[in-house]
């Protein structure tokens, strides 16, 4: 029996093994990822769309949404600027201790958000030297907007730099050196040579940073003081509503953040295709 | 060799980029962390030990690190399978599965926390099935385990995927020509090649799980000595304005995390050497 359809290459798994592995992958993701996502929307809409939207319209919910947007609007450009500057410093210059510097930039990934919040309280709280002076001068950091921004920046700190550094290493320095030889100024080199090369990676890093910034819970819970209508961000408000058994309101706000997560994933997938194109294009010459 | 601190370079922007990098890194990350270490130094080693050496703290630390380790091990195995399936097989819905792997990165932890609780609570979809079978998931250590799997899910898959992509078919063909069965090839050729990347993902998932707070506290039930995680204990101390105790537990967590990451790094170096490239 030499039926061509039963032929299997020696470097492939049996069809049964394939099916089992695909089943494990799809089943695992279904239970762990898709099911929670569906539950968020189902619970938000359990009393209809009108009830869900109405729960987002009250004063506390609106101020939470506004606060989250303000925090993201401040922390995102600052972290993007840091990411660009540090990637430029690390990839365009040779200096001692480069690996150590990269480790320090990655540090926030191995520190618990709660510990991050604790660090900020110890640094800027009323009991600390700096914090006491700032509070006395009328600029409280902890339990106020600046503290929440700092906490958000801490947990999202490495995102942009981590995306930019590998791309900028891959692209090397030759294009910038050519532009400099031709007499372009430093800013002009950055804006017309470097930036177009790194724009998709930059966008990608900013996207990840944005998702995490809007959703950060642990660090913000510690430094915000959870003052309703003042320092309660969207995730903090979800916790408050949930603990008060206001299920529809809690899940409606959760659904807004889940929608944002879905949009993030959609843009991310689109960007990855772009990034892959760009990398393969830059490998060609 | 006397290497200069910074090589001379015609590239512009040295002062500006170095200035921004060092200023922001210090202000946002290094100064706050040194504030914690300073607090620990003034509080004293004996006092830190006294704070940590209590049944409730040990129970929380043991719970956090043990469950994080189990969750990261689960993600190690599941993540490698997922990476393999997503790169090697073509089937309908593959792109959707690939995108879904990143959901735990994009979904805020508080949202994940209440969603998982709603699913696995005794009146939830999965929780009620478990109840029929005589199990309880939410408000037990199983609930914490599931939440920790969720937050660490993408790490191993995302580090292993590019490596699977780069495996050259010739290697597998050579192994097959020399008479190895497919299972033998996978065990002796493919798995060792994936190991260093998988361990990197494992370390990231572990670090993330140990520090995780938002997605765990809803599903955990937070019963002292049973389902109370270490980060929650820090939050409880902070709510009582007991900064010394909070710092002591925070420092203990940092120390144990770094020790664990160091061990993983050593295993990684060993597994790289074993397959012949460093």
């Amino acid at each position: 029996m030499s039926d061509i359809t039963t032929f299997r290459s020696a470097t492939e798994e049996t069809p049964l093994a394939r099916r089992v592995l695909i089943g494990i992958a799809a089943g695992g993701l279904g239970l762990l990822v898709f099911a929670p996502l569906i539950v968020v929307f189902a619970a938000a809409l359990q009393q209809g769309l009108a009830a869900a939207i109405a729960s987002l319209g009250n004063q506390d919910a609106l101020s939470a949404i506004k606060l989250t947007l303000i925090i993201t609007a401040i922390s995102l450009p600052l972290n993007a600027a840091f990411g660009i500057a540090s990637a430029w410093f690390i990839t365009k210059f040779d200096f001692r201790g480069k690996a150590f510097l990269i480790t320090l930039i990655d540090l926030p990934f191995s520190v618990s958000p709660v510990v991050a919040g604790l660090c900020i309280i110890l640094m800027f709280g009323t009991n600390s030297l700096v914090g006491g002076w700032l509070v006395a001068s009328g600029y409280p950091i902890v339990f106020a907007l600046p503290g929440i921004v700092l906490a958000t920046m801490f947990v999202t700190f490495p995102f942009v730099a981590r995306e930019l550094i590998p791309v900028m290493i891959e692209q090397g320095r030759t294009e910038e050196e050519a532009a400099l030889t031709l007499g372009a100024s430093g800013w002009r080199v950055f804006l017309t040579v470097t930036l177009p090369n790194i724009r998709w990676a930059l966008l990608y890093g900013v996207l990840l940073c944005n998702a995490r910034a809007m959703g950060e819970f642990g660090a913000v819970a510690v430094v915000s003081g959870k003052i309703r209508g003042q320092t309660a961000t969207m995730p903090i408000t979800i916790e408050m509503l949930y603990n008060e058994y206001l299920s529809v309101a809690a899940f409606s706000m959760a659904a807004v953040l889940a929608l944002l997560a879905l949009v993030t994933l959609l843009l991310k997938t689109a960007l990855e295709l772009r990034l892959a194109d760009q990398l393969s294009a830059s490998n060609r010459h | 060799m006397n290497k200069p601190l910074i090589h001379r370079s015609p590239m512009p922007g040295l002062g500006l980029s170095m200035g921004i990098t060092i200023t922001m890194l210090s202000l946002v990350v290094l100064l706050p962390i040194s504030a914690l270490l300073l607090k620990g130094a003034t509080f004293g080693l004996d006092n830190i030990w006294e704070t940590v050496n209590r049944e409730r703290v040990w129970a929380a630390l043991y719970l956090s690190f043990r469950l994080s380790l189990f969750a990261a091990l689960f993600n190690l195995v599941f993540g490698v399978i997922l990476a393999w399936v997503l790169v090697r097989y073509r089937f309908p819905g593959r792109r959707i599965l690939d995108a879904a792997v990143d959901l735990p990165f994009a979904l805020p932890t508080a949202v994940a926390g209440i969603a998982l609780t709603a699913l696995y609570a005794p009146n939830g979809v999965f929780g009620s099935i478990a109840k029929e079978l005589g199990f309880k998931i939410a408000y037990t250590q199983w609930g914490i385990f599931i939440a920790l799997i969720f937050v660490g899910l993408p790490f191993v898959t995302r580090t292993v995927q590019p490596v699977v992509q780069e495996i050259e078919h010739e290697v597998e063909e050579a192994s097959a020509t020399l008479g190895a069965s497919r299972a033998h090839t996978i065990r002796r050729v493919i798995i060792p090649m994936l190991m260093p990347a998988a361990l990197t993902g494992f370390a990231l998932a572990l670090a993330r799980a140990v520090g995780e707070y938002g997605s765990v506290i809803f599903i955990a039930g937070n019963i002292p000595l049973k389902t109370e995680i270490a980060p929650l204990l820090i939050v409880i101390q902070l709510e009582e304005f007991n900064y010394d105790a909070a710092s002591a537990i925070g420092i203990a967590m940092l120390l144990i995390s770094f020790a664990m990451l160091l061990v993983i790094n050593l295993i990684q170096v060993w597994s790289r050497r074993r397959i012949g490239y460093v």
Side-chain angles (χ1 to χ4, degrees):
Chain A
M1 286 244 297
S2 61
D3 185 355
I4 192 75
T5 54
T6 61
F7 172 78
R8 180 173 68 86
S9 152
T11 57
E12 278 172 12
E13 286 79 52
T14 61
L16 179 69
R18 268 170 186 258
R19 250 174 248 146
V20 170
L21 288 176
I22 292 174
I24 292 174
L29 283 180
L31 280 178
L32 286 164
V33 174
F34 289 107
L37 193 63
I38 295 164
V39 159
V40 171
F41 293 106
L45 298 174
Q46 59 188 309
Q47 288 168 18
L49 187 62
I53 292 171
S55 77
L56 294 171
N58 72 55
Q59 205 58 50
D60 288 344
L62 287 176
S63 79
I65 295 171
K66 198 174 134 200
L67 181 64
T68 292
L69 291 176
I70 291 173
I71 289 160
T72 312
I74 300 173
S75 55
L76 211 56
L78 286 174
N79 269 358
F82 169 78
I84 294 170
S86 60
W88 182 273
F89 178 47
I90 286 168
T91 59
K92 301 295 177 204
F93 299 100
D94 296 309
F95 53 90
R96 264 192 280 173
K98 196 182 270 192
F100 183 61
L101 179 64
I102 296 176
T103 310
L104 287 181
I105 292 173
D106 277 343
L107 202 58
F109 279 159
S110 43
V111 173
S112 168
V114 170
V115 175
L118 168 68
C119 291
I120 288 165
I121 289 185
L122 292 174
M123 180 82 203
F124 295 107
T126 37
N127 295 336
S128 73
L129 207 65
V130 189
W133 176 72
L134 282 169
V135 170
S137 345
Y139 298 104
I141 304 271
V142 170
F143 305 143
L145 184 69
I148 305 176
V149 171
L150 266 179
T152 306
M153 283 180 67
F154 186 106
V155 294
T156 57
F157 205 62
F159 278 116
V160 179
R162 268 184 93 104
E163 294 305 325
L164 290 185
I165 291 170
V167 174
M168 285 171 73
I169 288 177
E170 178 104 358
Q171 272 157 353
R173 299 173 196 170
T174 44
E175 289 180 35
E176 280 87 355
E177 279 161 359
L180 284 171
T181 330
L182 295 171
S185 71
W187 279 110
R188 186 141 179 233
V189 171
F190 172 72
L191 290 174
T192 58
V193 178
T194 313
L195 200 57
N197 278 336
I198 61 168
R199 58 172 190 249
W200 298 119
L202 178 63
L203 210 60
Y204 189 82
V206 166
L207 197 68
L208 292 177
C209 194
N210 177 56
R212 185 73 199 265
M214 294 187 90
E216 178 48 32
F217 182 72
V220 173
V222 170
V223 298
S224 71
K226 300 183 184 173
I227 308 161
R228 204 179 286 264
Q230 282 181 43
T231 63
T233 60
M234 288 174 78
I236 300 292
T237 305
I238 291 174
E239 186 204 15
M240 289 173 165
L241 294 168
Y242 186 82
N243 288 341
E244 287 159 17
Y245 300 103
L246 296 169
S247 179
V248 170
F251 277 101
S252 299
M253 188 156 288
V256 175
L257 286 176
L259 275 179
L260 181 88
L262 288 178
V263 172
T264 305
L265 289 188
L266 213 72
L267 289 174
K268 191 173 169 293
T269 311
L271 271 179
E272 266 163 357
L273 293 176
R274 285 272 190 168
L275 215 56
D277 282 352
Q278 195 193 8
L279 278 180
S280 60
S282 71
N283 283 342
R284 238 175 275 140
H285 48 243
Chain B
M1 268 222 298
N2 211 345
K3 241 174 93 183
L5 193 61
I6 299 178
H7 283 268
R8 289 164 66 88
S9 161
M11 281 288 165
L14 173 65
L16 184 67
S17 64
M18 185 168 74
I20 295 176
T21 303
I22 291 177
T23 310
M24 283 187 73
L25 184 66
S26 306
L27 209 64
V28 179
V29 178
L30 299 182
L31 281 174
I33 288 181
S34 34
L36 174 67
L37 299 179
L38 191 72
K39 183 81 181 172
T42 52
F43 189 45
L45 219 56
D46 292 342
N47 286 325
I48 290 179
W49 177 248
E50 210 167 291
T51 312
V52 175
N53 194 15
R54 282 179 302 164
E55 200 192 356
R56 190 173 168 189
V57 180
W58 277 128
L61 285 171
Y62 181 55
L63 179 76
S64 275
F65 282 93
R66 182 170 45 105
L67 289 181
S68 301
L69 195 65
F70 290 157
L73 281 173
F74 178 93
N75 278 330
L76 179 68
V77 177
F78 184 59
V80 170
I81 294 177
L82 206 52
W84 185 261
V85 167
L86 290 176
V87 174
R88 281 297 176 94
Y89 302 159
R90 290 290 169 274
F91 54 95
R94 187 184 62 94
R95 277 210 174 281
I96 295 173
L97 286 193
D98 198 6
V101 171
D102 279 325
L103 191 79
F105 281 161
L107 197 69
T109 53
V111 177
I114 62 171
L116 289 171
T117 312
L119 268 180
Y120 290 98
N123 57 355
V125 181
F126 297 151
S128 57
I129 299 171
K131 200 178 163 193
E132 294 276 297
L133 300 169
F135 280 115
K136 204 176 161 203
I137 299 174
Y139 318 124
T140 69
Q141 298 190 358
W142 286 106
I144 304 177
F145 179 60
I146 287 174
L148 294 181
I149 289 176
F150 179 86
V151 296
L153 188 73
F155 290 104
V156 175
T157 312
R158 288 304 180 229
T159 48
V160 171
Q161 250 176 331
V163 184
V164 177
Q165 221 133 29
E166 274 172 27
I167 294 179
E168 283 167 31
H169 257 287
E170 286 84 344
V171 182
E172 291 166 63
E173 281 162 11
S175 173
T177 328
L178 293 170
S181 69
R182 186 65 187 151
H184 198 79
T185 305
I186 289 175
R187 208 176 65 236
R188 300 300 298 271
V189 178
I190 292 169
I191 299 280
M193 285 208 273
L194 302 183
M195 235 18 220
L199 280 173
T200 305
F202 173 78
L204 289 169
L206 184 65
R208 178 73 206 265
V210 167
E212 181 54 27
Y213 175 71
S215 57
V216 176
I217 51 161
F218 296 101
I219 203 169
N222 307 326
I223 308 154
L225 298 174
K226 281 187 185 148
T227 57
E228 192 175 58
I229 54 166
L232 176 67
L233 216 51
I234 296 178
V235 173
I236 292 173
Q237 301 298 337
L238 281 176
E239 277 167 358
E240 293 165 2
F241 298 103
N242 192 349
Y243 294 147
D244 287 334
S247 309
I249 302 166
I251 288 171
M253 276 185 70
L254 280 184
L255 288 180
I256 303 174
S257 298
F258 284 142
M260 271 172 37
L261 292 181
L262 192 72
V263 171
I264 294 168
N265 259 330
L266 290 176
I267 298 175
Q268 219 168 2
V269 170
W270 171 77
S271 80
R272 276 222 172 97
R273 270 208 197 118
R274 214 170 64 114
I275 63 165
Y277 68 89
V278 183

